[in-house]
Every structure is written in C-alpha cells, then in structure tokens.
Amino acid sequence: MAVRRAQRTSFATITLILMVLVSVDAASDNNGQYSPCGDTTVARSDGFSLGFAFAGKTSFYFNTTQQLSPCDSRLGLSSSNSLFAIFRPKVDEISLLTVNSTTSLENNGYMVAFAGRKYAARSTPAFVANSTYIVTSFTLALEFQKGRLQNFYWKRDGCAKCSGSSNFVCLNNQDCAIKTSNCKNNGGTVDCSLGIQLAFSGTDKHLQALNSWYEVANLRQYSLYGVYSNLKDSLTNQYNSFF
Ligand SMILES: *[C@@H]1O[C@H](CO)[C@@H](O)[C@H](O)[C@H]1NC(C)=O
Ligand SMILES: *[C@@H]1O[C@H](CO)[C@@H](O)[C@H](O)[C@H]1NC(C)=O
Ligand SMILES: *[C@@H]1O[C@H](CO)[C@@H](O)[C@H](O)[C@H]1NC(C)=O
C-alpha cells in the first residue's frame, strides 16, 4: 500500500510538473504549427516558424518564370545543394536572427524567406553572395492579416551607413557588401555570418495590430546589432564603425 501510494504520489508530481511546463508554454505560444511548410494563423503571443532557403537564383523559379515556395517539391530544392535555416521568432517581437553557416554561401547565391503551404508566402530572392562579395545584413518585414501571413518584404536602406567603411562595398546602390576575401573562412578577419532583422506588421487572428514594424519605423539596417548583448563579438565587430 505504502509503495503504491508513493508511486502514485510521484506520478502525480510528474504530472503536475508537466502541466506547469505545458501551461507556461501554452500561455505564451498557442501555435502548434512548427513546420515552416504548414499553414497557421497566429496571435501576438505565439511563436511563428519560418524558413530561409539559400540557392542559386534560378532554383527558386519553376519553368524559369514562376516563383514558387521552397516548400513546393516542384522546385526540387531539398534534393539540390541548397541550404535551409529554420527559425521560430515570437510574433510582434523584433528579432535578430543569425545564420552562421559552415558551408560557404558563395555557391548558393540568393536567399528566400518562406512560410506556409496552401497559403504560401515567400520573399523575392535577395542576393547574398558570390565569389567576390557577401551581403551580411538584412531587414525583413512579415505582413499578417487576421493572423495569416500574407507577405514578406525586404527593407533596404541603401548604402549610406557603409559608404565610409573600407570593409564594405556598395552593390547596386542598395546593399552594403563585404569582400569575401575579408571573411574568416577565406583567411580574412571578418565574421561573415548573416544577420536578419525581423519586424511584424498587420493584424493577428484577434485583429490586434502587430506594431513592431511601426515601433521601429526608423529601424535601420544595423539597429539591432548593438541591442543584443549576447551576440558574438565577432558579429558586432563587423559593424562597430556604425555605432
Ligand atoms: C512552361 O512554360 C511554357 C511557356 O510559357 C509553357 O508552354 C509550358 O506548358 C510550361 N510548362 C509547365 C510544366 O508548366
Ligand atoms: C558578384 O556580384 C556583384 C554584384 O551583383 C557583381 O558586380 C559581380 O560581377 C559578381 N561577381 C561574380 C564573380 O559573379
Ligand atoms: C560563427 O562560427 C565561427 C566558427 O565556429 C565562430 O568562430 C564565430 O564566432 C561564429 N559567429 C557567430 C556570430 O556566432
């Protein structure tokens, strides 16, 4: 009897702990969709899974003109040499995602942000790197309507920030790029990990406004690098001249 009760007690304790964990989790994130290739609608406190695919620009197009989501098997991205990164930021929190790839991005050229399947959204392909240059800083806006992702937009500030820095070259009047020969994986001194700033706009599924985009109406390309104290120094050093 005593043994059984003890067992029951410990079982009850475990159940309680699990419930606490679940309820903590549930209080903040009620979005059960963890795949970036699944559909969902979100509220402000939810997490939201999105992916980034890295591949040659033409790989994102089906039949040369039709841009499909990287989740669409017709693109065959998963069987090619493309790379994927998956993140789960919190809705309406400004986030800085970092991509520290051990595989060179130079062969993969362009990056597309994506989420959803039936309601698939994907960004236009953004130039990341070729053998000469790498663009390491991006700002991406996610636009929701009634909690469903509608669109991704790259926000570009031009090259004002990098025009005076010898590490940087301005590409197409829109992107500050680093010469790949300066990157650590090529024997240089610069950590060429990517940083992607995220902000949210539109409405969640309760029609509450997602404000992070407006709060940072002046969000500049490098705003967040100084804010995240836990960021690797090597990454912030890239931009030290900007602060
Ligand atoms: C590809 O595009 C061509 C020209 O627009 C069209 O005739 C052809 O049917 C398309 N193929 C597929 C598989 O969609
Ligand atoms: C790399 O990209 C830049 C900017 O688009 C371009 O000017 C340059 O010719 C490219 N270099 C190579 C080797 O493709
Ligand atoms: C990226 O990885 C390299 C090698 O592991 C490391 O030295 C560097 O600090 C990392 N950078 C970031 C931003 O995590």
Side-chain angles (χ1 to χ4, degrees):
M1 279 292 272
V3 172
R4 281 184 63 180
R5 193 185 299 161
Q7 278 178 343
R8 204 179 302 150
T9 307
S10 64
F11 180 71
T13 310
I14 291 168
T15 310
L16 186 66
I17 292 168
L18 287 179
M19 279 172 57
V20 170
L21 287 179
V22 168
S23 67
V24 166
D25 206 25
S28 52
D29 185 353
N30 290 308
N31 176 16
Q33 181 57 268
Y34 284 84
S35 165
C37 291
D39 292 311
T40 189
T41 54
V42 291
R44 282 184 69 177
S45 56
D46 288 340
F48 180 76
S49 300
L50 78 162
F52 294 87
F54 300 85
K57 192 175 189 178
T58 54
S59 311
F60 294 112
Y61 294 89
F62 176 63
N63 204 3
T64 69
T65 52
Q66 194 184 352
Q67 196 196 339
L68 299 179
S69 163
C71 297
D72 194 311
S73 58
R74 283 176 290 171
L75 289 184
L77 280 181
S78 53
S79 57
S80 66
N81 286 329
S82 47
L83 301 171
F84 291 91
I86 311 295
F87 295 96
R88 192 172 171 89
K90 198 167 177 181
V91 173
D92 213 23
E93 272 184 15
I94 304 159
S95 309
L96 176 63
L97 315 176
T98 63
V99 179
N100 194 354
S101 174
T102 49
T103 310
S104 169
L105 297 170
E106 293 160 25
N107 305 319
N108 288 285
Y110 284 75
M111 164 170 68
V112 162
F114 63 93
R117 180 172 294 279
K118 187 173 167 219
Y119 300 95
R122 72 276 180 286
S123 72
T124 55
F127 173 77
V128 178
N130 61 19
S131 55
T132 321
Y133 300 114
I134 181 164
V135 178
T136 54
S137 178
F138 298 86
T139 303
L140 184 68
L142 285 71
E143 189 205 333
F144 288 80
Q145 263 172 34
K146 292 185 187 166
R148 192 180 294 289
L149 180 68
Q150 305 292 313
N151 233 326
F152 289 105
Y153 300 102
W154 297 114
K155 183 174 190 284
R156 293 188 162 95
D157 287 342
C159 294
K161 279 281 194 182
C162 60
S163 55
S165 167
S166 58
N167 269 343
F168 288 90
V169 176
C170 183
L171 295 184
N172 307 316
N173 289 321
Q174 65 175 21
D175 289 319
C176 296
I178 301 171
K179 287 203 183 94
T180 51
S181 55
N182 292 333
C183 296
K184 274 185 180 160
N185 57 339
N186 290 325
T189 56
V190 182
D191 182 342
C192 292
S193 300
L194 307 189
I196 305 165
Q197 301 184 138
L198 286 192
F200 295 79
S201 72
T203 50
D204 81 351
K205 65 180 176 186
H206 307 304
L207 291 175
Q208 293 215 8
L210 303 176
N211 290 319
S212 67
W213 184 247
Y214 301 102
E215 280 166 17
V216 287
N218 292 321
L219 184 73
R220 297 280 173 222
Q221 194 77 48
Y222 305 98
S223 313
L224 296 183
Y225 291 87
V227 175
Y228 286 84
S229 53
N230 59 344
L231 256 196
K232 283 272 192 309
D233 282 350
S234 57
L235 189 56
T236 43
N237 280 346
Q238 259 184 55
Y239 306 110
N240 268 352
S241 54
F242 298 163
F243 303 135

